[in-house]
Amino acid sequence: MGRPDPKVWDAMLSHLRQHHSSMCRHWFEDIEPQDLSGVTLRLLVRELVQLKYLQRSCAQIFGEAAQAATGRLVGVQFIGEDDIGDDGRPLTPIVKQEAALPSNGLGTTRRDLGALATDDDMLISPDYSFDTFVIGPGNRLAHAAAVAVAAKPGKAYNPFFIHGGVGLGKTHLLQAVCQATMRLHQGIRIHYVSCNAFMTQFIDAVQAGVMNDFRSRFRHVDVLVVDDIHDLSRRDRTQEEFFHTFNALFQSGKQIVLSSDAPPAEIPLLEERLVSRFNCGLVAEMEKPCFETRVEIIKRKSALRNLLVPDEVANYVAARIDTNIRELEGAINKIQSLADLAKTPIDLDLAKQAVGERLSIAGSAPTIQMILEVISAYYDVRLTELLSKRRSKSIAHPRQVGMWLARKYTRYSLEEIGGYFGGRDHTTVMHAIKQIELKRHNDVAIDREITRIEELLTNDEAPGTSAGSGAALVMTIPTVIPAPIAMAG
Ligand code: ADP
Ligand code: MG
């Protein structure tokens, strides 16, 4: 077992920058290569949130980089501080099998996020911290309150309820609260979950007859953070359970943090008693960012990726994209990949190419590619997951919505749509369409959700919303959509 040659690590970083530039973060440079023995390279990551993130999302690309740098099959294992002894040597012996499975990436590190429990699908992103959050007139109050909540959980504002439109930074702020709280209060127990995950776990617990487990999971915490609480709309039994969860925590002085796309009183069919509970702490709105804030966000996001973006480019993009921030990020992605492709520095011409192209899409009929991109951005699922065989609800629903939209907006046959959605047959597409029709009919929240996606797709302003924002299609993923997979027979 020996320290890896520093040249190997440098070569890995440059491989990552070259081949996975959009995944690269400036803090990758803080990772400390520990030892390279046989087929495993161990990388020490001192920040827990970064460690978890790397284990979940980056093992494969680091494995690739290690292989490129060494010219042999090397698996990467990310380890935390708990995995090294006082002498700085790793405690746990390398398990051969892990090295053979570089794409698993979970490793055997004994240290977990500890105090922070999250639902599987709700990974805390190291990108979503207070440091990277840009403060502007539209979010100043929400930000200040979030900082206060993290400093004094249960004492500053309880509950703390933030609301605002899609892509305005609610999830970012919630995760920043989790990360700062964890850092400031040793041993504090935080549970961060989406409302949908709360609901699913509740239903599962009822069916399995393990409500005690469920209750102890959600009630024995110091801070409960629930994202997208508007999804409680119409869910009578879940509302009832959440009401009791809320009371149990609130009465014992525990902090509750919630986000929603609407203020409490405007969440459709939310019980009055929940509305009044949600209103009894601080309700803060997040509004669209102004020009200066948008410019600063572009700069901050670019810095996070070690990207050099000249002022004129930041100004140009901020002037053209004035809706949600996810779109700004999409533009940065696109500019970055164009620069990578052309192997040139980022300049105004590239920005015009990237953003100009976006605008030309507005007004034209949606294509399958646009549908996939909008779905992927809206539900925050990866394109590869949409096209994969995975059937978990968090993927299956967006995929079904995508098929339904493809049927409505394109001229493709059921077979062709199935082909574009990862080689599914026409009966699956038919089933998806029926499911979505049914859900829209039975569920106001889903109906609203799909209407919103259609607005994004067709660039129509919703009736009653503020006048034309000039929003073009959300283009967050500069990915080439694979050709449809033909179905046999
Ligand atoms: P929401 O949950 O409101 O739909 P997100 O929190 O997912 O929105 O934000 C969408 C993207 O915009 C994220 O990448 C987030 O980091 C970024 N973002 C939003 N607001 C800000 C801000 N004030 N500063 C920096 N990034 C922001
Ligand atoms: Mg969100």
Side-chain angles (χ1 to χ4, degrees):
M1 198 180 288
R3 292 262 168 199
D5 182 345
K7 282 197 200 117
V8 168
W9 177 235
D10 289 345
M12 280 178 67
L13 283 178
S14 81
H15 177 96
L16 288 167
R17 278 188 212 111
Q18 206 180 339
H19 298 278
H20 301 282
S21 53
S22 65
M23 297 281 285
C24 280
R25 295 293 178 266
H26 67 75
W27 52 262
F28 281 6
E29 281 158 28
D30 302 334
I31 297 173
E32 300 167 39
Q34 286 297 296
D35 51 76
L36 174 58
S37 131
V39 290
T40 305
L41 170 65
R42 297 223 238 193
L43 300 173
L44 173 64
V45 185
R46 296 188 189 270
E47 282 286 330
L48 284 182
V49 172
Q50 293 173 357
L51 173 64
K52 193 89 176 168
Y53 175 80
L54 288 164
Q55 288 172 338
R56 271 276 297 258
S57 308
C58 301
Q60 185 138 13
I61 61 168
F62 274 74
E64 258 175 59
Q67 288 170 35
T70 58
R72 59 194 172 90
L73 190 68
V74 174
V76 167
Q77 189 187 8
F78 299 105
I79 58 174
E81 279 184 327
D82 278 4
D83 298 293
I84 52 172
D86 294 337
D87 60 353
R89 312 295 298 171
L91 288 174
T92 44
I94 292 167
V95 181
K96 276 221 166 62
Q97 191 197 3
E98 283 158 31
L101 294 170
S103 64
N104 169 338
L106 295 175
T108 53
T109 156
R110 287 178 293 110
R111 184 153 177 180
D112 207 334
L113 270 184
L116 179 61
T118 65
D119 176 67
D120 262 353
D121 290 333
M122 296 284 285
L123 185 61
I124 296 268
S125 166
D127 289 355
Y128 292 177
S129 66
F130 283 134
D131 289 346
T132 55
F133 192 82
V134 178
I135 305 160
N139 61 30
R140 196 177 302 281
L141 172 69
H143 173 267
V147 171
V149 164
K152 290 187 175 174
K155 300 203 174 67
Y157 304 104
N158 205 15
F160 173 40
F161 188 104
I162 51 177
H163 68 92
V166 176
L168 296 187
K170 301 182 298 295
T171 298
H172 186 139
L173 212 50
L174 250 48
Q175 297 201 2
V177 170
C178 292
Q179 298 194 48
T181 308
M182 233 181 13
R183 217 162 271 145
L184 292 171
H185 310 276
Q186 280 275 317
I188 198 164
R189 291 161 305 171
I190 307 174
H191 197 106
Y192 172 72
V193 70
S194 70
C195 181
N196 276 328
F198 178 88
M199 195 143 50
T200 314
Q201 290 177 36
F202 168 61
I203 294 166
D204 289 350
V206 171
Q207 280 169 359
V210 291
M211 276 309 289
N212 282 344
D213 290 354
F214 176 85
R215 293 195 171 125
S216 86
R217 194 176 328 140
F218 286 99
R219 297 183 191 184
H220 293 147
V221 296
D222 302 306
V223 183
L224 177 65
V225 182
V226 186
D227 206 357
D228 294 329
I229 197 72
H230 54 260
D231 286 330
L232 274 185
S233 172
R234 286 179 68 102
R235 311 286 174 169
D236 296 350
R237 289 189 63 196
T238 316
Q239 285 192 24
E240 164 98 26
E241 182 60 30
F242 191 76
F243 177 74
H244 296 299
T245 307
F246 185 104
N247 286 344
L249 291 169
F250 188 77
Q251 279 155 15
S252 42
K254 307 301 187 190
Q255 178 70 48
I256 297 150
V257 183
L258 306 169
S259 83
S260 161
D261 67 3
E266 289 174 29
I267 298 176
L269 296 165
L270 184 69
E271 285 179 31
E272 194 44 47
R273 55 185 184 164
L274 276 173
V275 174
S276 74
R277 292 292 187 291
F278 292 174
N279 272 321
C280 75
L282 181 80
V283 175
E285 180 171 7
M286 297 184 68
E287 291 167 22
K288 280 187 187 164
C290 63
F291 176 75
E292 287 75 15
T293 311
R294 298 199 299 275
V295 171
E296 188 54 34
I297 290 175
I298 293 173
K299 291 185 177 166
R300 205 77 70 88
K301 292 266 175 206
S302 314
L304 199 64
R305 302 172 182 194
N306 271 339
L307 272 188
L308 256 175
V309 173
D311 284 354
E312 59 174 2
V313 170
N315 292 343
Y316 176 82
V317 175
R320 308 286 316 257
I321 300 176
D322 61 358
T323 49
N324 82 48
I325 301 164
R326 220 168 271 157
E327 288 190 54
L328 276 185
E329 264 198 303
I332 302 172
N333 281 340
K334 190 134 197 224
I335 294 171
Q336 183 175 12
S337 54
L338 287 176
D340 285 351
L341 264 177
K343 301 207 180 345
T344 56
I346 290 173
D347 62 12
L348 198 55
D349 278 348
L350 272 184
K352 284 183 179 162
Q353 223 179 311
V355 179
E357 215 178 286
R358 278 170 41 91
L359 295 179
S360 69
I361 284 170
S364 61
T367 61
I368 291 248
Q369 169 142 353
M370 288 156 74
I371 290 169
L372 285 167
E373 284 174 343
V374 167
I375 291 287
S376 158
Y378 186 89
Y379 291 103
D380 213 0
V381 292
R382 284 202 214 115
L383 192 64
T384 45
E385 287 178 314
L386 274 180
L387 306 183
S388 72
K389 299 284 168 221
R390 276 189 62 192
R391 289 198 192 162
S392 66
K393 212 173 145 206
S394 60
I395 310 289
H397 174 71
R399 189 186 288 134
Q400 289 188 334
V401 173
M403 292 181 183
W404 182 86
L405 289 168
R407 187 63 175 163
K408 177 163 174 185
Y409 287 101
T410 71
R411 289 162 179 254
Y412 288 112
S413 66
L414 295 174
E415 282 81 6
E416 286 167 320
I417 294 172
Y420 275 105
F421 280 83
R424 295 179 152 77
D425 70 16
H426 73 281
T427 53
T428 309
V429 181
M430 223 152 63
H431 174 73
I433 293 167
K434 275 201 194 125
Q435 282 296 308
I436 294 300
E437 302 270 324
L438 206 67
K439 285 183 188 169
R440 285 197 85 160
H441 185 257
N442 293 335
D443 191 329
V444 170
I446 290 188
D447 190 46
R448 212 159 36 107
E449 177 186 285
I450 296 175
T451 307
R452 179 75 196 118
I453 298 171
E454 289 190 274
E455 280 161 15
L456 290 170
L457 197 59
T458 55
N459 194 19
D460 284 333
E461 273 299 317
T465 59
S466 58
S469 58
L473 172 66
V474 190
M475 296 282 286
T476 46
I477 309 140
T479 330
V480 179
I481 306 291
I485 301 165
M487 287 301 301

